[in-house]
Amino acid sequence: MKRQNVRTLALIVCTFTYLLVGAAIFDALESQKETSQRKELDLKKLKLLSSFNLSTEDFDELEKVVLQLKPHKAGVQWKFAGSFYFAITVITTIGYGHAAPSTDGGKAFCMLYALLGIPLTLVMFQSVGERINTFVRYLLRRFKKCLGMRRTEVSMVNMVTFGFVSCMSTLCVGALAFSHFEGWSFFHAYYYCFITLTTIGFGDYVALQNEQALQTQPEYVAFSFIYILTGLAVIGAFLNLAVLRFMTMNAEDEKRDAEQRALLAHNGQAGHVHCSMDPGSPLSTPSGCGGVSGVSASGAASRGLRNVYAEVLHFQSMCSCLWYKSREKLQYSIPMIIPRDLSTSDIEQGDGYSNTLHSNGCVCSLQRHSAISSVSTGLQSINTYRRLNKRRSSI
Amino acid sequence: MRTHNIRTVCLIVSMVFYLLIGAAVFAALESERESSRKKAVEQKLKEMKEKFGFTDSDFTQIETVALRSEPHRAGRQWKFAGAFYFAITVITTIGYGHTAPCTDAGKAFCMFYAILGIPLTLVMFQSVGERINTCVRFVFSRVKHRLGLQKTDVSMCNMVLVGLLSCACTLCIGAAAFSHFEGWSFFNAYYYCFITLTTIGFGDFVALQEKDALQKRYPYVLFCFTYILVGLTVIGAFLNLIVLRFLAISIEEDVSSENQSSEPKDTRDGPESEAQTQNLQCKEDTLKLLCSCLCCDADYYSPAHFDPDEMGGHCNPVFYNSISYRVDQLHIVPSTPQEKVIHLTLR
């Protein structure tokens, strides 16, 4: 099966397993407390009912009123400051829910607002995050030079460590500030910052809801907004560094596959070049492509085996990919590796393949677009594979 | 480098303006209603206090109990079904808040769970989304072929249209289902689906909170979970199509600009200048792409831009702009073999 499909299936299975395991653990941690709390509250309710001589309907009515009053008690939510806070929670997708539009017009505008605002914000944070990473890389390099170190390149490990440390410090700074201003414990304030900056935004803890802060404490309001946006930029930088490359992996591999198919088509029997997709399996490498019909049957099988092997290697390397050095060192190794690799990978495709590759200059395009992934589909030594995957790590 | 800084500053400024405009509009839409509602509720409270003869402290007691029993009224939230629902809201970052861990251990585990779960989920949705886009592109090109159209290439416009349609359908299906099962109006159910699938997750409307659904109506529970995950995949596919290239443009530019600024190596003088030309071209193209992303002009990139010989020895990294539809250009079934060959050599 194609690498992308294997990867996708594996991710789906992982996510489901993760959900199941998480559900089980949350159940174990919270279920008991929930039961005991419930009992306690029921008792309290009975006591209140009896002491105030209320019926259950009365109590329900009171409950309703209390719940309706809840957002109002936290302050005026929809004056400009509150609306700005709300707008932030919408486009960053935090979505506390401490205030939510009650008018239909508000709801409709909220949806339209989010439609444009969320992509804008995503792109903005990634852009800023990338700038931050570049700047940090520059600083670290200078720092290394100052320290008189011989190798002043900034490795992935350095960057990830720095990113992680900056995330932790952002959370700690926020925790300190909010525990002071909101009167929460440090742990709860940290939990609040974490839930906010990961954009989960439960709303169990929400800043600016005490003592009419939105209207009466403009400096604290400004601090909160700046903290949320800056914190999201820092987290965004870390995501840009560590996660974004994984999100583009499938597309990259798809590109590589397409290049290979194109090369096959180009170098296949002249005059029989037609690339018709295999109707039975839209997502597998079309075996008829390039008209290498004679070789295709056996080629497909060996390709299949090769792909599985490649997947295994790939997964192994994915785990270790963060431990390799920066791209500057690696690009020089690639031109030397590709030609040899292509010849090994193409042995199964047919003879005379490697020769034609060099002559028509298609090596360049393959090199350019799929240097990383093309190698991985060949049966080569782990060394070369690892060296090439360093490049992937630094995308 | 400079282009990138300008772009970043522009994005920051536009976001700030967007927030200001949004705040103003929300204030205009909601402020009046808020104050009138507040008055109404306070009036009602006064009446009730008088009716039952509560003092303020009495009422505080009732208030505390009422607020704390709010999540319990919706049913058992932390049995397996509820915990699974919660786990979904954590790793997808929806975060309704209809329940939140009350034990400190639960909170701590929640944080660790999110640290690993959120990237996993992001990558998973993008991965599946990309597969969906590829599949759709294939199906579309076959349909075009069957319809006997001359140009069977699937353009960006086509893909965006299909993406938009599928998102709208997903939202409508969800709205119909939830308005039926939860008793909400269609508009509120649509709003709920939208807020959920964009992972905002206010929590003003939350499914599975009526009539102990989490414990009693298992098919409905299953439907909800499936809907949320599938819906997020569809939205993820659309994002993968439209937005991911902009997120990844930064990476590509960063690399090429780093190549420019890295210490010059004597043996690589030739490729350096090629890299610069490439760099400029890449910037040109990304800007072009930014401006014309949704126009059909962007579909057919003039292949002459990318002369493989020029880029000879120096491997500029993968061009992320329009990854998925560059691939698409090679997927196409050309009308003549010559066309295909031309495409290849020009690449």
Side-chain angles (χ1 to χ4, degrees):
Chain A
M1 233 201 327
K2 246 177 158 187
R3 151 177 308 192
Q4 298 91 296
N5 295 339
V6 174
R7 179 188 298 133
T8 306
L9 281 170
L11 282 169
I12 293 176
V13 169
C14 274
T15 308
F16 269 108
T17 316
Y18 198 72
L19 280 171
L20 289 167
V21 168
I25 299 180
F26 277 122
D27 187 341
L29 289 170
E30 294 281 327
S31 217
Q32 261 189 353
K33 177 87 182 263
E34 184 189 23
T35 321
S36 61
Q37 242 192 11
R38 205 182 190 159
K39 283 202 188 112
E40 193 193 316
L41 285 169
D42 284 338
L43 282 172
K44 272 203 180 144
K45 185 177 168 181
L46 283 171
K47 231 177 73 183
L48 284 172
L49 284 175
S50 62
S51 70
F52 293 114
N53 207 12
L54 299 165
S55 65
T56 27
E57 293 87 26
D58 291 335
F59 195 83
D60 284 341
E61 238 190 286
L62 277 166
E63 252 185 343
K64 243 199 276 179
V65 172
V66 164
L67 289 171
Q68 279 176 343
L69 199 57
K70 186 172 143 195
H72 298 286
K73 279 205 94 185
V76 180
Q77 299 292 350
W78 292 104
K79 280 263 163 74
F80 191 81
S83 296
F84 196 90
Y85 196 24
F86 177 75
I88 291 179
T89 67
V90 171
I91 65 172
T92 54
T93 76
I94 295 175
Y96 290 126
H98 66 292
S102 45
T103 60
D104 280 354
K107 287 179 178 135
F109 177 72
C110 181
M111 289 193 272
L112 289 168
Y113 191 69
L115 208 58
L116 188 55
I118 291 172
L120 169 67
T121 311
L122 280 175
V123 175
M124 194 276 284
F125 278 127
Q126 285 305 306
S127 192
V128 172
E130 188 279 331
R131 291 284 86 198
I132 290 174
N133 283 338
T134 312
F135 182 65
V136 163
R137 208 173 269 125
Y138 167 75
L139 279 180
L140 280 177
R141 196 182 294 148
R142 296 278 291 218
F143 185 67
K144 279 189 165 182
K145 246 193 212 152
C146 277
L147 288 179
M149 293 173 76
R150 248 183 317 158
R151 292 187 303 190
T152 59
E153 301 108 8
V154 182
S155 71
M156 190 60 176
V157 183
N158 294 3
M159 288 299 293
V160 171
T161 314
F162 191 89
F164 189 72
V165 166
S166 56
C167 288
M168 293 299 285
S169 4
T170 309
L171 289 173
C172 287
V173 165
L176 280 169
F178 288 112
S179 67
H180 169 74
F181 287 116
E182 296 282 337
W184 297 327
S185 72
F186 183 82
F187 177 70
H188 288 161
Y190 188 93
Y191 169 75
Y192 163 74
C193 292
F194 184 94
I195 295 297
T196 300
L197 297 187
T198 48
T199 76
I200 298 175
F202 287 132
D204 50 352
Y205 292 90
V206 185
L208 303 173
Q209 300 291 288
N210 276 341
E211 296 154 22
Q212 312 272 341
L214 279 166
Q215 311 303 321
T216 55
Q217 299 176 352
E219 306 91 8
Y220 176 43
V221 169
F223 165 78
S224 295
F225 294 166
I226 292 173
Y227 174 78
I228 291 175
L229 295 171
T230 318
L232 285 169
V234 171
I235 304 286
F238 188 66
L239 279 180
N240 184 287
L241 185 73
V243 182
L244 198 59
R245 67 198 58 213
F246 295 112
M247 285 162 56
T248 47
M249 264 183 184
N250 263 10
E252 203 184 290
D253 283 350
E254 194 62 31
K255 210 175 179 41
R256 180 252 313 164
D257 282 352
E259 295 269 4
Q260 282 194 332
R261 277 198 297 276
L263 273 165
L264 278 174
H266 181 68
N267 293 309
Q269 293 151 20
H272 293 291
V273 177
H274 79 260
C275 183
S276 56
M277 295 289 198
D278 186 328
S281 49
L283 294 177
S284 62
T285 320
S287 51
C289 186
V292 194
S293 38
V295 195
S296 64
S298 54
S302 53
R303 237 197 328 272
L305 271 176
R306 241 189 23 226
N307 279 341
V308 172
Y309 181 64
E311 286 303 335
V312 171
L313 287 180
H314 182 67
F315 283 129
Q316 278 177 357
S317 65
M318 228 165 72
C319 305
S320 56
C321 97
L322 286 177
W323 296 99
Y324 291 105
K325 295 201 175 135
S326 66
R327 52 186 153 269
E328 283 132 7
K329 273 199 152 189
L330 308 173
Q331 285 184 338
Y332 311 127
S333 55
I334 291 167
M336 295 183 284
I337 293 168
I338 295 284
R340 184 179 63 201
D341 176 69
L342 281 173
S343 53
T344 46
S345 70
D346 293 313
I347 283 170
E348 286 134 69
Q349 303 292 340
D351 296 333
Y353 189 57
S354 44
N355 296 333
T356 46
L357 276 175
H358 289 269
S359 60
N360 64 17
C362 280
V363 175
C364 302
S365 61
L366 197 70
Q367 194 179 3
R368 173 167 64 85
H369 291 289
S370 44
I372 308 141
S373 4
S374 68
V375 172
S376 52
T377 56
L379 289 166
Q380 71 272 156
S381 66
I382 305 273
N383 256 346
T384 50
Y385 188 82
R386 271 207 181 139
R387 264 192 291 156
L388 273 154
N389 268 54
K390 284 186 208 175
R391 184 167 148 73
R392 179 186 283 281
S393 78
S394 54
I395 296 169
Chain B
M1 197 71 126
R2 199 177 283 173
T3 325
H4 207 158
N5 289 340
I6 293 175
R7 182 192 306 143
T8 306
V9 170
C10 280
L11 283 168
I12 294 176
V13 169
S14 37
M15 201 192 86
V16 173
F17 269 113
Y18 197 72
L19 282 172
L20 289 169
I21 294 170
V25 177
F26 278 122
L29 288 169
E30 295 281 329
S31 209
E32 260 187 53
R33 174 84 173 259
E34 183 189 23
S35 37
S36 62
R37 266 179 136 204
K38 185 173 186 178
K39 281 199 187 109
V41 174
E42 282 177 345
Q43 180 69 16
K44 193 155 183 215
L45 183 67
K46 223 168 107 180
E47 284 169 14
M48 293 196 102
K49 272 185 176 171
E50 283 170 8
K51 178 178 169 189
F52 297 112
F54 292 141
T55 61
D56 281 341
S57 59
D58 294 338
F59 186 72
T60 321
Q61 277 183 47
I62 297 178
E63 197 181 20
T64 328
V65 172
L67 285 173
R68 285 178 64 193
S69 45
E70 188 189 357
H72 296 283
R73 238 165 345 120
R76 295 300 301 272
Q77 299 291 351
W78 290 104
K79 280 258 158 80
F80 190 80
F84 195 88
Y85 196 24
F86 178 76
I88 291 179
T89 66
V90 171
I91 65 172
T92 55
T93 75
I94 296 176
Y96 290 125
H98 64 295
T99 24
C102 28
T103 60
D104 278 356
K107 289 182 168 111
F109 176 71
C110 180
M111 289 193 272
F112 284 114
Y113 191 68
I115 281 184
L116 190 54
I118 292 172
L120 170 67
T121 312
L122 281 174
V123 174
M124 194 271 286
F125 279 130
Q126 286 307 306
S127 192
V128 178
E130 189 279 334
R131 291 284 85 200
I132 289 176
N133 284 338
T134 311
C135 188
V136 164
R137 207 174 269 120
F138 171 74
V139 167
F140 214 92
S141 72
R142 297 283 283 185
V143 165
K144 277 190 161 181
H145 192 59
R146 286 275 166 79
L147 289 178
L149 290 172
Q150 256 193 336
K151 290 190 294 187
T152 55
D153 318 324
V154 183
S155 69
M156 189 60 172
C157 271
N158 295 358
M159 287 301 292
V160 170
L161 240 89
V162 171
L164 277 173
L165 269 169
S166 51
C167 289
C169 284
T170 310
L171 289 173
C172 287
I173 291 173
F178 287 114
S179 67
H180 170 73
F181 286 117
E182 297 280 338
W184 298 329
S185 72
F186 184 83
F187 178 72
N188 282 339
Y190 189 92
Y191 169 75
Y192 163 74
C193 292
F194 185 95
I195 295 298
T196 301
L197 297 186
T198 48
T199 76
I200 299 175
F202 287 131
D204 48 353
F205 291 93
V206 186
L208 300 174
Q209 301 292 290
E210 296 284 314
K211 305 170 199 160
D212 218 10
L214 278 166
Q215 309 305 320
K216 302 213 174 107
R217 298 159 76 182
Y218 283 127
Y220 176 46
V221 168
L222 221 62
F223 164 77
C224 281
F225 294 166
T226 315
Y227 175 78
I228 290 175
L229 295 171
V230 169
L232 284 170
T233 311
V234 172
I235 305 288
F238 191 63
L239 279 179
N240 183 285
L241 186 70
I242 304 250
V243 182
L244 196 63
R245 68 196 58 211
F246 294 113
L247 302 185
I249 276 176
S250 327
I251 300 177
E252 166 211 317
E253 286 225 357
D254 176 40
V255 173
S256 41
S257 62
E258 276 223 3
N259 293 339
Q260 279 187 326
S261 59
S262 63
E263 293 112 316
K265 305 266 192 291
D266 300 296
T267 55
R268 317 227 352 117
D269 272 5
E272 286 275 35
S273 54
E274 280 157 23
Q276 286 186 10
T277 337
Q278 226 175 298
N279 207 15
L280 289 171
Q281 265 175 1
C282 146
K283 284 184 183 151
E284 236 174 72
D285 296 315
T286 51
L287 281 176
K288 214 196 265 184
L289 181 70
L290 270 175
C291 304
S292 62
C293 159
L294 289 177
C295 301
C296 293
D297 291 335
D299 303 341
Y300 301 104
Y301 257 45
S302 147
H305 273 251
F306 301 105
D307 184 354
D309 295 329
E310 194 182 50
M311 293 183 257
H314 186 77
C315 293
N316 206 38
V318 185
F319 279 86
Y320 280 107
N321 41 333
S322 61
I323 295 165
S324 38
Y325 98 106
R326 287 298 207 81
V327 168
D328 169 51
Q329 290 202 324
L330 289 169
H331 269 220
I332 58 175
V333 180
S335 44
T336 63
Q338 283 75 27
E339 247 182 65
K340 179 118 193 184
V341 172
I342 291 169
H343 262 179
L344 289 171
T345 47
L346 283 175
R347 281 184 67 96

